Amino acid sequence: MASAAWCCACGVGIISMLVIYGILQERIMSIPYGHDYFTVSVFLVLCNRVAAIVFAMIMIYIKGEPFRNIAPLWKYIAISFSNVAASTCQYDALKFVSFPVQMLGKSFKMMPVMCWGMAISRKRYPPSDWLVALVVTLGVSEFLISGSISSYRNESSSFIGLLYLVAFVAFDGFTSTFQEKLFEDHKTSKYNQMLYINLGSAVVAVGSMLITGSYRVAWSFCCSHPAVLQDAFYLSVAAVSAQWFIYTQVKDFGALVLAATMNVRQLVSVLMSYWMFEHAISSLQALSLLCVFLAVFYKGAFSLLKSEEHEALLSRQSVQSDFPFQK
C-alpha cells in the first residue's frame, strides 16, 4: 500500500510539474507582456540548463558520485548541440502554433526515434510498434489539416511553426537515442550525464546569444518586463522538479510506469491548454486527438503486460532452478 501511494505521489508530481511547465511555455511565448512578445527562445533554454546544472551537482554530491566526465567530452557536446537545437525549436514553434499542436508533435516523434534507433544502435522493432507509430503519425496529420492550429501570436504563419516542429522532432529523436547509447556504452549515471549535457548546452546557448547578439534583446526585454524573469524562474523550477520526480519514479518503479505517467501527462497538458487559453477545436481534431492518445495508451499497456509476463516467466524459471525435482 505504501509503495502504491509513493508511486502515485511521484506520478502526481511529474504530471503537475510538467503541466505547469507547459502552461508557462505557452504563456511566455504566445501571450504578450503589455504589448510586447518575448522572442529570445534560447534565453529560456539557458535558464533551464543552469537550473538543471545546479540540481545535478547537488545530487552528485549527495550520492557521492564522481564529478569527472565518464564518457568522452565530444559525445556530451554532440548531444548538447542537438539538445539546445531541439529545445529552441520547441519554444519557437509556440510563436506560430498552439501548445496542443506542439504537444502532439512530441507524439509524432515516435517514428523518427525508431529510425534513429535503427541507424545508430542497429535496433529492430516489432510490427506492433510500427503500427502504433503509423496510427499516431496519421492521427497527428489529420489533426493538423482539419482545424485551426495557429497560436494567438500569429494567426497566419502556422506553416513556419510546423517546420520548427519537424526540426524539433529530428533533433530530439537524435538526442534521446544518443543519450540511451551513452548509458549503454559508458555506463554513465543519470546525474553525471545530466551535468555534462546541461553544461555543454549552457555553453552552446551562451555562445548562440553572443554570436547573434540576442542577449541584448533578452536583457532589454527583461528590464522592460521583469515579469518574464519570474515566469522563466518558475519554468526552470518546474522543469527541474519534474526531472527529480521522473528519476525517482524510474529508479523505484521502472521505465514502463514512467511511460504510462507521461502518456497521462500529455493528455492532461493538452486539455489544460484548451481550457486555460480557449483554443478552438473542430470535431475532426477531437477525433484525431482521441485516436492518437488511444494508440499511445495501447502502446503503454501492451509494454506493461509484456513486462509482467516476462517477470512471471523468470520467476517460474527461478523456482524450477531452486527445486529441480519438484513436479
Side-chain angles (χ1 to χ4, degrees):
M1 181 63 74
S3 177
W6 177 233
C7 182
C8 289
C10 289
V12 170
I14 291 170
I15 293 168
S16 58
M17 289 298 103
L18 289 180
V19 167
I20 292 171
Y21 177 74
I23 291 171
L24 286 169
Q25 273 191 73
E26 188 162 16
R27 189 271 167 271
I28 294 171
M29 299 305 302
S30 301
I31 307 299
Y33 289 84
H35 298 289
D36 303 320
Y37 286 99
F38 185 74
T39 59
V40 189
S41 303
V42 72
F43 174 75
L44 298 179
V45 176
L46 177 61
C47 291
N48 289 348
R49 299 307 175 262
V50 169
I53 289 168
V54 173
F55 172 72
M57 292 182 71
I58 291 172
M59 294 307 297
I60 288 174
Y61 177 77
I62 290 174
K63 291 182 171 293
E65 297 179 3
F67 279 90
R68 64 178 178 82
N69 58 297
I70 304 300
L73 283 175
W74 73 265
K75 293 189 176 183
Y76 291 118
I77 293 171
I79 296 174
S80 297
F81 273 102
S82 65
N83 180 266
V84 171
S87 298
T88 303
C89 289
Q90 171 183 270
Y91 288 128
D92 280 337
L94 287 175
K95 299 175 183 177
F96 305 98
V97 296
S98 64
F99 178 77
V101 175
Q102 186 220 59
M103 205 74 233
L104 284 178
K106 295 182 179 181
S107 299
F108 192 80
K109 73 179 183 180
M110 289 178 66
M111 197 165 286
V113 166
M114 292 165 71
C115 292
W116 278 119
M118 293 176 65
I120 295 176
S121 303
R122 299 291 187 266
K123 286 189 174 182
R124 292 293 179 266
Y125 299 93
S128 59
D129 285 358
W130 287 107
L131 180 61
V132 170
L134 178 62
V135 170
V136 169
T137 301
L138 293 176
V140 172
S141 301
E142 177 64 25
F143 182 90
L144 296 178
I145 65 175
S146 58
S148 174
I149 61 173
S150 299
S151 70
Y152 292 117
R153 184 169 177 168
N154 284 283
E155 294 293 339
S156 58
S157 305
S158 56
F159 179 72
I160 298 175
L162 295 180
L163 291 180
Y164 274 119
L165 282 179
V166 169
F168 161 74
V169 166
F171 285 122
D172 194 61
F174 173 84
T175 300
S176 58
T177 305
F178 211 85
Q179 280 182 301
E180 184 178 355
K181 189 168 178 59
L182 219 60
F183 279 124
E184 293 173 355
D185 293 350
H186 300 282
K187 310 302 180 187
T188 59
S189 75
K190 51 182 173 283
Y191 298 118
N192 183 275
Q193 190 173 141
M194 186 179 182
L195 173 62
Y196 280 92
I197 289 174
N198 282 289
L199 275 171
S201 298
V203 172
V204 172
V206 170
S208 174
M209 293 175 70
L210 290 175
I211 291 171
T212 61
S214 58
Y215 70 93
R216 297 190 189 94
V217 179
W219 175 261
S220 176
F221 192 95
C222 290
C223 290
S224 302
H225 307 283
V228 73
L229 288 174
Q230 177 179 306
D231 289 339
F233 172 76
Y234 290 140
L235 180 79
S236 300
V237 170
V240 171
S241 299
Q243 286 296 314
W244 185 85
F245 281 115
I246 286 170
Y247 287 145
T248 301
Q249 191 176 68
V250 168
K251 178 185 175 184
D252 293 346
F253 303 101
L256 286 175
V257 174
L258 173 65
T261 302
M262 296 300 279
N263 291 340
V264 176
R265 170 255 170 163
Q266 282 188 305
L267 180 59
V268 173
S269 294
V270 168
L271 294 178
M272 284 293 292
S273 179
Y274 273 114
W275 175 61
M276 290 191 66
F277 297 97
E278 300 179 346
H279 298 296
I281 184 170
S282 67
S283 55
L284 277 177
Q285 283 182 310
L287 181 61
S288 302
L289 204 61
L290 179 63
C291 289
V292 169
F293 283 116
L294 283 177
V296 171
F297 277 108
Y298 165 79
K299 168 66 176 171
F302 183 73
S303 298
L304 189 61
L305 182 62
K306 283 183 63 177
S307 176
E308 290 177 349
E309 290 176 349
H310 181 66
E311 288 179 1
L313 177 61
L314 290 178
S315 178
R316 288 197 298 271
Q317 290 175 343
S318 176
V319 170
Q320 291 171 358
S321 175
D322 290 339
F323 303 99
F325 302 109
Q326 184 176 354
K327 300 295 184 182

